[in-house]
Amino acid sequence: MPVLPSLLAVFAHPDDEALLAGGVLAQHHAAGARTAVVTATWAPDSRRAPELADSLVVLGAGVPRLLGYNDARNPEAAPGRPRLVDAPLDEAVGRLVAHIRDFRPDIVVGHDALGQLTGHPDHVRTHQITLLAVEAAGLAHLYPEAGPPWQPAALYAATHPESGVGLLRPLLEGVGKSVLAVPDSYVTTSVDVTPWADVKWRAILAHRGEVARERALPGILARLPEADRTRIIQTEHFTRLTPGPTKGEPAQLTS
């Protein structure tokens, strides 16, 4: 198996990494690539931090890198700390730049502009911060205190095409959630992660609190027959946001 590019995933909440990119994180780790995850919300001493740590062990993605902001909808995420959506943009970008420069990834993967199916405001804000941080990380005059500059070769947004929502639509609408998908033409890369679906599912299960919740996606998936669940998690879709291979290139993330 060829060595794949190093990969840094940047997502809003614990469990986003497993749900949205668990397959490619496991794929890259299995091929010998360095992988890591930055999570924008929830504090290191919160109840979800140990679950995130367990998920990353399963995926081979190191230890949690938490920006520590509060969740827009859950004040227990980081009591006494600003919500991500209220934090100064420059501050949040600077914190992420520091992680990019420290890890020095070939590829960064984050949320799409819609905020991933349900349009959660933390997802949208994390997308905006990631766009700015990936560019800023390569410019020495920006955030000099964050370390020597490093320019990732590619930025991808994890996304859901209209044709790929499938079983998710009735499941999410059934618990009162919206379903926001992008046109199929927006997707540049679809990765069949079937060989790593078991690893991905174990990473999702590591988020025990979410598995126990009726309306959370891990809980919804846990109640499904295995065949239906596998159909949902076995393909991951991405849009390349930086210049590079176009639609129709090999179905894997490249730098």
Side-chain angles (χ1 to χ4, degrees):
M1 180 182 295
V3 175
L4 295 178
S6 57
L7 177 61
L8 177 67
V10 183
F11 292 117
H13 310 111
D15 81 4
D16 289 335
E17 82 294 333
L19 291 165
L20 300 173
V24 297
L25 282 165
Q27 175 194 32
H28 283 239
H29 172 70
R34 296 182 303 114
T35 60
V37 174
V38 174
T39 307
T41 66
W42 291 77
D45 58 352
S46 66
R47 63 172 174 81
R48 295 189 66 181
E51 298 177 353
L52 174 61
D54 290 345
S55 172
L56 298 188
V57 168
V58 172
L59 297 173
V63 299
R65 294 168 174 257
L66 289 152
L67 299 188
Y69 290 107
N70 216 335
D71 188 298
R73 296 173 176 169
N74 192 339
E76 73 165 297
R81 305 183 190 190
R83 300 191 309 166
L84 177 67
V85 294
D86 299 328
L89 181 61
D90 189 59
E91 172 195 283
V93 170
R95 290 188 184 183
L96 181 52
V97 165
H99 284 287
I100 294 172
R101 289 178 178 173
D102 175 66
F103 187 71
R104 300 169 72 87
D106 297 315
I107 295 174
V108 174
V109 173
H111 290 287
D112 66 10
L114 292 179
Q116 233 73 55
L117 286 178
T118 61
H120 194 294
D122 288 336
H123 293 180
V124 175
R125 190 61 163 173
T126 301
H127 168 76
Q128 296 165 347
I129 291 166
T130 304
L131 285 177
L132 294 170
V134 166
E135 182 172 5
L139 301 174
H141 294 297
L142 295 178
Y143 309 101
E145 72 285 355
W150 175 259
Q151 184 60 66
L155 170 62
Y156 286 85
T159 195
H160 293 84
E162 291 170 348
S163 66
V165 174
L167 293 173
L168 278 176
R169 184 177 299 280
L171 291 170
L172 291 172
E173 290 178 344
V175 294
K177 293 190 176 185
S178 61
V179 178
L180 304 176
V182 301
D184 287 13
S185 59
Y186 186 74
V187 175
T188 60
T189 309
S190 294
V191 184
D192 179 1
V193 298
T194 302
W196 303 277
D198 179 64
V199 176
K200 177 176 178 175
W201 178 236
R202 287 192 285 116
I204 294 171
L205 288 176
H207 295 280
R208 297 170 290 278
E210 298 304 284
V211 171
R213 293 179 58 216
E214 182 178 346
R215 295 183 72 247
L217 186 52
I220 293 172
L221 293 173
R223 297 191 300 271
L224 289 179
E226 182 178 356
D228 289 345
R229 181 172 64 243
T230 300
R231 283 174 57 196
I232 290 172
I233 70 172
Q234 68 186 3
T235 306
E236 294 175 355
H237 303 282
F238 302 90
T239 299
R240 184 169 177 137
L241 301 180
T242 48
T246 58
K247 188 174 179 64
E249 290 293 324
Q252 65 184 39
L253 304 190
T254 62
S255 58

